[in-house]
Amino acid sequence: MAKVPSAVVAAGGLVGGYGVARWTKKRQLGGAVLAVAGAAAARQWQERAGGKAAGALTAAYVAAFAGSHPLAKKVGAWPAVFGVAGVVALASWAVADREG
């Protein structure tokens, strides 16, 4: 069975975490989705690209989450979430998922 690319896991965590928080009105539940997906992506980053890359990508994931909040005030919530998720997915793909 093929593994889900870390780019998809990371982007899915950002989008899914926000969606769950918004639709359930339970921010903690959205945070749990965000954290579980982030941990899964970090594990993949560690396995595929090593510790330094995993640390940098994890920092980017956390920064994307934090950065989506002020960005949402300028462009709206969903565009902000999709934007930061796209940036993290691209970075993840470039560092850990791209083959050769």
Side-chain angles (χ1 to χ4, degrees):
M1 180 185 264
K3 275 193 170 184
V4 175
S6 63
V8 174
V9 174
L14 289 161
V15 173
Y18 174 69
V20 166
R22 181 173 178 137
W23 291 318
T24 65
K25 305 214 185 307
K26 296 185 186 312
R27 293 179 70 184
Q28 297 86 352
L29 189 55
V33 170
L34 180 81
V36 168
R43 184 172 184 192
Q44 287 182 311
W45 295 328
Q46 172 72 34
E47 291 171 357
R48 296 176 184 175
K52 286 183 182 180
L57 289 168
T58 300
Y61 185 81
V62 172
F65 167 70
S68 68
H69 292 82
L71 183 59
K73 293 179 181 182
K74 296 186 183 301
V75 300
W78 280 112
V81 171
F82 283 127
V84 299
V87 169
V88 169
L90 182 60
S92 180
W93 174 81
V95 173
D97 294 334
R98 181 174 49 175
E99 302 262 338

